[in-house]
Amino acid sequence: MMFLERLIQTGMKDNPIYYSLEYSWFAKDDLWLPNCTAFACSRSSEAAGRNVKQQIPRTNAQTWYEKSNWRGSTVPQVGAIAVWGGGKYGHVGIVERINEDGSVVISQSNYTRASKEAMIANYFVLGTYRPEVGKVTKYIGWTFLGYLINPYINDIRTKRDPAKHQIEVTKEKVRARKGPNGEIYSGLFIPIGLYDVLEEDGDWVRVDDNVWFSKGDWATDYPAEKKEEEDMPELVKIVKDPNYNYRWSLDGNRYGDKYDVTVMGGFGDEKLKADGWEEVLAVNGSLFYTYDGKHYAHGVEKSRGVINQELEMSCVTDSFEVMALGMDYNGGLTFKKTKDICAEIWEYYGAVTGEFGIMKDGQKAEWGKEVFSQQYNDISGRTIIGTDKEGNYLSYSLAGVSGSSGLRGAELYDLCKSLGFWNAICFDGGGSVFRRVNGVKDITTTRKVKNCVLLYRKKRNVEEELAQMKTALEEAEKGLKTMTQKYNEVCQFNVKLTAENEKLKEDARLLTDTNNKLLSAYGEINKILKGVI
């Protein structure tokens, strides 16, 4: 979830998130606002874009840091819950902004039973602090305990440093314990992302404070010496180099129990590679579904010039109104509806149906959002392929967990427009997000998928291209010469045919004259015979 800071109380009044037991344990009796726990519980749901009530301790504020399953940290992140201990109840607030000087802006609501004016003044309060764990914060006067990181906010992500031993968390709930031999928690919420390994003990690692996590099957280990995988931006722009030719391809398997599922890292177009093409980009393709107990494809219709998808499977026509991506034999991309791509499928080297469309020729074209409304409306990781107005290629990849982190479909048009897209299609997201740029994986899918969209390039050989053009010109000249010869023969035949036609016309005229003379003679003879009789 992209974090939207709250620096004013506008929009809180009568907001069900702040005045409903559905979103807060504390929205009742005398614990309506102003109250720090009621505010922090509701504000966490608002910031996360989902109800997190069940993940908030139903206890006094100062016990939250110990009792919460959310990851504790001494380092602030936007949307995190700041926790203080002191007095009878302690205090909590929400980190709204991190200033360049290291101070943090925290929103809060302070409990009071005083006058109406005091209640209004304490309803929504902003404070700027420099809290350090174990030290008393001057403004509040209580000891700062730390931050509880909201796992559904992905604005702040650890950047990978190849020089450090790091671990990539791929699930939002992990096994954890306090200290190397402490009590094990079955499900601690932490944000998906990369973390520096501070200490290691067998299968357990410490990545923050005194909290240890079990690597298990929820994380990928990156030893310090593994430096080839560099952090890359969410947007990759490939400006077409005039010294190269480019070609898009698609690799994938047919869907069904009898076919193998391919891991993203194994995809590639062996035919192009054997011909000297080098891979520039590889991203996950689209979705597959089951329908009425039968497998049917919402994905590859054709790859590498070969039809490899069972389009006759049940209900595949449901996706005909969804945007599809076609890769023509000249290497370019075509953004059309699936039904239009299928109608001329033999014109394409490869084609794949998207999850839904985003843009077509600079205009919003969310084709398919009704067919796959859940995928459109849910927050999720996203894979977007497109072009800018000049025809350069753009790839946007954002890792995320479906329903927990990433972006919603409704956010993608404005995002793509701001990033310079002219055409854009959205493929499968969530655990299927994968990207490999120039052979380096910067985002790795957490599950196996069925297909992959690929971009290759090959250095232009001017002499070879000129030779090919010369050969094509020679072939064209031969063809023109043959056509000219055939044309002349037809003309000659036409002249002969015209002459024969004129002769036939003259013969017909003579025959008509002779016939007329015979008829006239016959008439005279007939008169003579009548006179004799």
Side-chain angles (χ1 to χ4, degrees):
M1 177 73 181
M2 302 301 289
F3 180 76
L4 298 176
E5 59 187 24
R6 174 179 280 283
L7 302 179
I8 56 176
Q9 61 174 278
T10 302
M12 289 173 58
K13 187 176 181 181
D14 299 326
N15 186 332
I17 293 179
Y18 289 93
Y19 289 94
S20 170
L21 286 173
E22 180 183 356
Y23 286 92
S24 174
W25 298 116
F26 311 97
K28 63 178 182 177
D29 302 331
D30 61 347
L31 291 182
W32 293 94
L33 298 179
N35 178 269
C36 68
T37 53
F39 174 82
C41 186
S42 297
R43 174 68 182 126
S44 293
S45 292
E46 182 183 51
R50 58 182 293 160
N51 194 339
V52 299
K53 169 185 171 181
Q54 299 294 336
Q55 299 166 30
I56 299 294
R58 197 175 182 179
T59 57
N60 295 333
Q62 62 187 341
T63 66
W64 284 19
Y65 196 77
E66 181 66 28
K67 293 182 177 295
S68 174
N69 281 338
W70 285 6
R71 182 173 66 89
S73 176
T74 60
V75 181
Q77 292 187 15
V78 291
I81 301 174
V83 185
W84 285 269
K88 187 177 181 180
Y89 304 111
H91 185 66
V92 286
I94 303 296
V95 177
E96 300 290 347
R97 180 181 292 177
I98 302 173
N99 298 320
E100 291 184 2
D101 63 1
S103 62
V104 292
V105 178
I106 293 178
S107 64
Q108 58 211 291
S109 181
N110 292 330
Y111 175 76
T112 180
R113 290 180 182 270
S115 65
K116 182 178 180 180
E117 290 74 15
M119 291 183 69
I120 294 173
N122 287 274
Y123 180 87
F124 178 83
V125 180
L126 288 177
T128 300
Y129 311 91
R130 290 180 177 276
E132 296 181 48
V133 172
K135 293 187 178 182
V136 175
T137 305
K138 291 181 180 179
Y139 179 80
I140 294 180
W142 292 323
T143 302
F144 183 65
L145 302 179
Y147 301 97
L148 294 172
I149 306 303
N150 192 323
Y152 304 109
I153 297 173
N154 59 9
D155 284 55
I156 304 300
R157 295 184 300 161
T158 304
K159 300 300 182 182
R160 186 169 190 279
D161 181 357
K164 295 181 179 180
H165 183 180
Q166 293 190 322
I167 196 163
E168 181 181 12
V169 177
T170 54
K171 290 184 180 179
E172 62 179 10
K173 246 185 176 182
V174 301
R175 293 175 67 240
R177 64 190 182 193
K178 295 291 181 71
N181 300 307
E183 180 183 355
I184 294 178
Y185 295 81
S186 61
L188 187 83
F189 284 84
I190 64 172
I192 288 175
L194 288 163
Y195 297 85
D196 293 339
V197 175
L198 305 179
E199 194 174 349
E200 193 166 16
D201 180 19
D203 193 43
W204 291 81
V205 295
R206 181 171 69 88
V207 297
D208 189 50
D209 299 336
N210 195 35
V211 179
W212 292 70
F213 303 116
S214 169
K215 284 189 276 189
D217 63 348
W218 58 265
T220 303
D221 209 359
Y222 294 107
E225 65 272 11
K226 191 173 182 179
K227 299 181 179 179
E228 73 277 8
E229 294 191 9
E230 301 174 354
D231 181 72
M232 296 184 187
E234 292 167 352
L235 177 71
V236 170
K237 182 175 182 178
I238 300 167
V239 178
K240 288 194 284 189
D241 187 334
N243 295 310
Y244 285 85
N245 290 318
Y246 293 82
R247 173 163 288 184
W248 287 86
S249 183
L250 185 69
D251 190 18
N253 295 323
R254 295 168 68 180
Y255 195 69
D257 293 335
K258 62 182 178 180
Y259 299 110
D260 293 332
V261 177
T262 304
V263 178
M264 286 300 309
F267 283 121
D269 190 329
E270 300 301 323
K271 179 179 179 181
L272 290 183
K273 287 192 284 187
D275 198 28
W277 293 79
E278 60 176 322
E279 181 188 292
V280 179
L281 176 70
V283 302
N284 57 277
S286 199
L287 294 175
F288 289 87
Y289 294 90
T290 58
Y291 182 80
D292 287 345
K294 297 180 179 179
H295 293 295
Y296 88 92
H298 173 59
V300 179
E301 282 91 28
K302 180 180 181 181
S303 67
R304 284 170 283 138
V306 178
I307 296 290
N308 70 342
Q309 198 58 257
E310 297 178 5
L311 291 177
E312 71 275 9
M313 285 187 283
S314 300
C315 202
V316 77
T317 52
D318 274 7
S319 65
F320 273 17
E321 295 299 322
V322 178
M323 183 180 281
L325 184 67
M327 304 92 172
D328 61 46
Y329 282 92
N330 293 322
L333 296 181
T334 299
F335 298 82
K336 289 184 177 180
K337 291 186 177 181
T338 300
K339 63 181 181 181
D340 297 324
I341 293 287
C342 289
E344 50 193 34
I345 192 67
W346 293 108
E347 300 295 323
Y348 298 98
Y349 183 76
V352 63
T353 302
E355 191 173 42
F356 52 84
I358 302 172
M359 299 178 70
K360 170 69 173 173
D361 298 331
Q363 303 298 315
K364 182 181 288 189
E366 297 177 313
W367 304 335
K369 73 174 185 178
E370 293 84 7
V371 177
F372 301 101
S373 58
Q374 180 179 345
Q375 289 74 24
Y376 177 82
N377 293 315
D378 279 356
I379 186 171
S380 178
R382 300 294 178 183
T383 296
I384 300 171
I385 286 293
T387 60
D388 62 15
K389 200 170 184 179
E390 288 71 40
N392 299 307
Y393 301 124
L394 301 174
S395 164
Y396 181 88
S397 291
L398 177 67
V401 176
S402 296
S404 300
S405 60
L407 293 171
R408 288 184 172 83
E411 300 176 87
L412 299 185
Y413 171 73
D414 288 337
L415 172 67
C416 288
K417 188 175 181 180
S418 68
L419 294 175
F421 281 83
W422 187 248
N423 296 290
I425 186 172
C426 180
F427 290 141
D428 193 6
S432 295
V433 173
F434 170 89
R435 185 170 63 184
R436 188 171 60 219
V437 182
N438 296 323
V440 177
K441 290 183 289 183
D442 67 318
I443 300 178
T444 304
T445 178
T446 58
R447 64 184 178 90
K448 296 178 179 180
V449 295
K450 295 294 296 183
N451 51 38
C452 178
V453 175
L454 303 135
L455 174 63
Y456 290 85
R457 73 173 188 174
K458 185 177 182 181
K459 197 170 184 61
R460 295 180 60 187
N461 185 324
V462 178
E463 293 182 358
E464 182 179 332
E465 289 183 12
L466 288 174
Q468 291 175 350
M469 291 174 64
K470 183 179 179 181
T471 300
L473 182 60
E474 290 174 349
E475 292 296 326
E477 289 176 344
K478 289 180 180 178
L480 181 61
K481 185 177 181 180
T482 300
M483 289 177 64
T484 302
Q485 182 177 347
K486 292 290 184 182
Y487 176 75
N488 290 334
E489 290 176 356
V490 169
C491 288
Q492 291 174 4
F493 177 76
N494 190 47
V495 170
K496 183 178 180 182
L497 187 61
T498 301
E500 292 291 335
N501 188 47
E502 291 298 326
K503 185 175 183 302
L504 288 173
K505 286 182 179 180
E506 179 63 23
D507 290 344
R509 186 181 63 79
L510 293 174
L511 184 60
T512 300
D513 289 345
T514 302
N515 186 55
N516 290 336
K517 290 177 179 179
L518 288 173
L519 288 173
S520 178
Y522 174 77
E524 293 297 327
I525 293 172
N526 193 39
K527 289 179 182 180
I528 294 171
L529 289 174
K530 285 182 178 180
V532 172
I533 295 173

